[in-house]
Amino acid sequence: MHGMWVTEQAGVAGTAFHVPLTTSFTGELDIPALRTACGRLVARHPILAAAIRDDGALIPSGAPPELIVEGSTVDIPEEIARPFDLSAGPLARFRLVSAEPSRHVLVITAHHLGFDGGSKDILIRDLAALYRGAPLPHVGPSYLEHVAARQTRVDALLAEATTYWSAHWREPDPLLLLPGLRGTPVRAEPGADLAVPVDQRLIQQAAASVGVSVFELLLAAIHILLRRYGNPAPVVAIDVSTRTEQAREQIGLFVNELPVRWAPDGPSVADVARGLRTRLRELYRFREVPLARAVRGLTPRVALAPVSFSYRKSTVEPEFPGVAAAVDWLRFPGSARNALHLHAVDRPDALHMRLQYPPHALHPDAAARIAGHLGTLLGAIAADPGAAVATLPLLPAAERDRLVRRSPVSPAGATLLSAFDAQVRASPQAIAVTGPGGRLSYAALDGSSRRWAHRLRAAGVRRGDRVGIRLPRSLPMVVALFAIARAGGAYVPLDPEYPADRLAFIATDAGLRLTVDQFTVDRLMASPSADGPRLSTPTPDDLAYTIYTSGSTGRPKGVDVCHGALFGLLAAMRDPLGSTARDVWLSLTSLSFDISALELFLPLVTGGRVVLAPETSTRDGTALGELVRAEGVTHVQATPSGWRVLLAGGFHAPTIVAVAGGEALPVPLAAQLRGTVARLVNAYGPTETTIWSTTAEIEPPVTAAPIGTPLANTRAYLLDELLDPAPYGLPGELYLGGAGVARGYHGRPALTAERFVPDPYGPAGGRLYRTGDRVRYAEDGTLEFLGRVDNQVKLRGHRIEPGEVEARLLEHPGVTEAAVVVRGDDDPRLVAYVVSDAAAADLRSHLARTLPAPLVPNAYVALDRMPLTPNGKLDRAALPDPPRPAPVASAPQDRPQPATGLVARIAGIWQEVLRRPDIG
């Protein structure tokens, strides 16, 4: 009780400790008799009239509550929420709301300091008996006598309870995973509630077959639900009755909230429930000991854990002669105590369960889904309590169907060359490419590529051969790309900036037929024109290119992409980006980065123009901006790092369609960029699914930068380890399917089989690519990128997503770039690397306002710029080691004398909080 009173004094309880009980009457209610019954009820149970002293002790005689009769204008939720004056009392209120002569609602609001769930039954039973003049059993000793006796028992058990909780208590993980949860509340907030469907008869049968109580089976189900949500060892706070046989007729506070941490890893539901039952039997020995007494330094809180569960059986059937009475045993007080509270009352007619939540932190749609998940889980447990935990269904049919819905995949008929040829026929003299050295019309590009293709065929290039291309961004590079395709080959970029060893590996691994470099171009241009062998017409299943990406083991891997996948991407991006014959695209991305194919080929299959940025200007934002203005560019694609270069150069183009992708787009950068362009499209996609797979239109005001929704001919699934759909609003690994899925990794069948898996939700023969990216659905149905599955780290027992910390850092106005990693083997710590002039203390304070303590980095390293890979992405391996923490100075010899009095008490408190024997 004292802990509850302290929490009230801390001002964080709201109405969470208000215990409402409403009874609706239909018929001719005898109001004078009800008023008399209420008075006798208070006389029988003086705790209802008590008050609380300034030290938290009960005063047995406060102001006695009286029945107040009101008209229908009284707002019942407002009456329930009306504050209590605890120091003046009383601890209960009675108000009768009369809508009409034959319809009344009795609203009883008691404070939890003198009332509990079991007291509801006693109050309604006694009130009904007093109304009809029936005899009542003897109440027994006074409530204060019960409190004194309980205190004696607590004192006797305290030492043993302290030892028990030292082994079993740990603060609940602040990073609770619940669908749609937007931060864990630390105080009571305005709340809402909804019903959870439960079949009482089936649950009772299942509990009996397992050998546990209904409460134990329900608690096991809640732990299983939280585990399936991704919480490895969830904590659920439960209400434990402390009512003794001597107090069974007494109204008062006879309940203690205790935490139950349980990792539901047993093979079956029955195993989990029986193991949980054993843990509860251990805990019940200390059921009367308040946790705050056994665990030193426990801060005041409305609930011990973000998730809690209250369960009680009720058999009271009140009889008020002359009227029909209906009691709402689960009336919601209006405040949510924590992120999720489940309240169950097991009545003879049904098992009633409701879910209480704070809409500010948990969207109502998300709460409804959680209720549906628990209902589905309970249904499966009731049907087969021996089922394996991992196989239990979680999603209702409607939600599951929504998560695995399949967008239609149209058969690919066209290819890059067939679409380009159509543009050549339609406008042969239109300019196709502008770049260093001049320009090419569609006809000229077509003619040159055909001549070069014949020479490549004469040099031995055949259908399916891989041809290296090692050229700077230039007109010959574009001609060579089309020539390789017309010869039946697939191009393999060899970036001139790559190290020689890497280029040699790619050439050998790809088995290149030949390489088109400057020497080859000179020979091709000098060779006489000849028709040679007939040119191939690539089919959608023919290889278009092989691009090498970095491998997790350090060995680059070549991704084989076919013509059908390439053209499917171009067709899917055409309309969302509004790319037409009137548009001009800037090409500034290295050919070794697959997104270059979009900016090179999309304008050439829609009749537009490509402007090739000179190699010398790709890192010069001012020069690029001038090129955009001079050439009338309408579409620019770049990575977020590339956009920073442009913006730093004063880029401002209010008519431009901007495409950002290749790495996460920070919200501040998105807001800055959106303010300088006509449209901003955030694109996402791995090389293995052909450039881009999802897009999001970023509209002002910019508050988020999602990766959007799947493109046409693309399917996106968020799946767990068993390839089951992750619940809506919870993280899952993103699997992509559809027309864009690559053929696989060249010469790596085992790796291909590992990353390209059968599509369990698509057509026969369909495949999915495991992206390794953690993603979740936002409430509006868009996808939110959360980070890499393999980048998630655990530090001191806490799951940490570096991407989440980076996103919060980038919200600081003084930070332009950020990266977060864990460094150190013996003493690992979270390190933030920032391009910023902000002080570390300022950054730490900024993060502490929005992130739990485990997510706030320990060290901050300021850099002039982030190290980048040749593709313009962050090179985490190149981040410098942080400076070592300064050693703690040895204590001076002339230490001050030990503190005394109040100073000593304060020092002792801080030593306990900081867990240090001496704070000096």
Side-chain angles (χ1 to χ4, degrees), residues 157 160-165 167-169 215-216 238 240 256 258-262 273-289:
L157 281 171
E160 193 177 348
T162 300
T163 301
Y164 174 82
W165 286 115
H168 291 93
W169 165 254
F215 163 72
E216 290 162 343
I238 62 170
V240 181
N256 187 21
L258 294 175
V260 180
R261 179 185 297 275
W262 188 246
R274 293 187 191 111
L276 182 60
R277 179 184 178 89
T278 300
R279 169 61 61 84
L280 289 172
R281 291 299 178 272
E282 299 171 0
L283 178 148
Y284 286 160
R285 173 168 169 73
F286 312 106
R287 66 193 309 150
E288 289 190 300
V289 181

Side-chain angles (χ1 to χ4, degrees), residues 726-749:
Y728 198 89
L730 272 185
E733 182 175 357
L734 179 60
Y735 286 68
L736 294 169
V741 177
R743 182 185 291 177
Y745 296 116
H746 174 61
R748 309 279 291 274

Side-chain angles (χ1 to χ4, degrees), residues 284-547:
Y284 286 160
R285 173 168 169 73
F286 312 106
R287 66 193 309 150
E288 289 190 300
V289 181
L291 190 69
R293 292 286 308 277
V295 176
R296 301 288 300 275
L298 198 66
T299 56
R301 59 191 71 189
V302 185
L304 284 176
V307 178
S308 53
F309 177 43
S310 300
Y311 169 91
R312 67 184 182 88
K313 295 180 73 72
S314 172
T315 59
V316 172
E317 297 291 348
E319 181 184 346
F320 291 83
V323 292
V327 182
D328 184 351
W329 300 102
L330 288 166
R331 183 78 192 204
F332 181 50
S335 281
R337 317 168 48 200
N338 47 10
L340 202 67
H341 177 65
L342 291 149
H343 189 184
V345 175
D346 202 346
R347 299 274 301 158
D349 61 328
L351 174 57
H352 305 276
M353 181 180 286
R354 297 192 70 82
L355 181 154
Q356 301 172 1
Y357 67 97
H360 177 263
L362 190 65
H363 193 280
D365 290 345
R369 289 194 297 273
I370 293 171
H373 299 162
L374 182 55
T376 301
L377 192 66
L378 287 171
I381 290 173
D384 183 8
V389 170
T391 63
L392 290 171
L394 198 64
L395 304 177
E399 184 179 352
R400 184 180 180 85
D401 290 344
R402 180 184 180 190
L403 290 170
V404 299
R405 64 187 185 277
R406 301 197 301 266
S407 58
V409 177
S410 305
T415 64
L416 167 65
L417 288 185
S418 65
F420 173 72
D421 290 345
Q423 296 302 326
V424 172
R425 292 190 296 270
S427 51
Q429 300 310 313
I431 300 302
V433 187
T434 304
R439 58 181 55 196
L440 288 173
S441 67
Y442 275 85
L445 175 56
D446 177 55
S448 295
S449 66
R450 288 179 183 274
R451 288 192 298 274
W452 288 24
H454 281 299
R455 291 162 185 162
L456 291 175
R457 293 282 288 176
V461 175
R462 295 294 182 268
R463 180 179 178 183
D465 284 346
R466 292 173 177 81
V467 177
I469 180 165
R470 186 177 182 181
L471 292 170
R473 192 179 299 99
S474 59
L475 298 179
M477 181 195 76
V478 180
V479 174
L481 290 172
F482 279 91
I484 292 169
R486 291 200 185 282
Y491 73 87
V492 180
L494 299 170
D495 195 311
E497 295 190 7
Y498 278 178
D501 289 349
R502 183 181 179 95
L503 293 176
F505 171 84
I506 293 174
T508 301
D509 188 74
L512 300 181
R513 172 65 65 181
L514 57 86
T515 296
V516 178
D517 53 16
Q518 191 57 52
F519 176 73
T520 311
V521 168
D522 292 340
R523 290 180 57 196
L524 290 172
M525 295 182 70
S527 301
S529 177
D531 289 341
R534 190 170 66 85
L535 299 179
S536 301
T537 301
T539 69
D541 293 331
D542 284 332
L543 194 63
Y545 60 77
T546 298
I547 285 186

Side-chain angles (χ1 to χ4, degrees), residues 15 18 20 22 76-82 93 107 109 331-333:
T15 64
H18 293 201
T22 60
I76 293 177
E78 287 185 6
E79 164 59 22
I80 292 171
R82 189 157 56 88
R93 300 191 292 260
V107 182
T109 310
R331 183 78 192 204
F332 181 50

Side-chain angles (χ1 to χ4, degrees), residues 89 129 132 160 198 208 405 417 426 537 574 630 654 687 692 781 816 825 835 902 919:
R132 65 179 185 267
E160 193 177 348
V198 188
R405 64 187 185 277
L417 288 185
T537 301
R574 177 184 57 212
T687 301
W692 302 131
T816 56
D825 295 327
V835 177
L902 178 61
I919 62 171

Side-chain angles (χ1 to χ4, degrees), residues 39-174:
R40 291 177 177 173
L41 178 75
V42 175
R44 177 177 169 84
H45 300 287
I47 183 64
L48 299 175
I52 309 293
R53 285 197 324 228
D54 288 344
D55 61 357
L58 277 170
I59 303 173
S61 56
E66 296 180 355
L67 176 66
I68 298 174
V69 181
E70 301 279 3
S72 60
T73 58
V74 172
D75 185 286
I76 293 177
E78 287 185 6
E79 164 59 22
I80 292 171
R82 189 157 56 88
F84 282 88
D85 184 348
L86 297 177
S87 61
L91 295 183
R93 300 191 292 260
F94 298 82
R95 180 162 292 193
L96 186 67
V97 180
S98 300
E100 54 189 62
S102 61
R103 289 178 56 215
H104 311 269
V105 178
L106 176 62
V107 182
I108 301 173
T109 310
H111 197 282
H112 205 1
L113 281 166
F115 202 80
D116 60 12
S119 297
K120 291 182 179 182
D121 286 2
I122 298 171
L123 186 150
I124 288 294
R125 181 204 65 187
D126 288 4
L127 184 63
L130 292 167
Y131 178 83
R132 65 179 185 267
L136 282 169
H138 179 59
V139 176
S142 71
Y143 179 69
L144 289 179
E145 290 177 282
H146 288 297
V147 171
R150 183 168 61 207
Q151 185 59 54
T152 300
R153 294 192 296 271
V154 168
D155 291 342
L157 281 171
L158 186 57
E160 193 177 348
T162 300
T163 301
Y164 174 82
W165 286 115
S166 67
H168 291 93
W169 165 254
R170 197 173 77 207
E171 283 282 357
D173 193 337

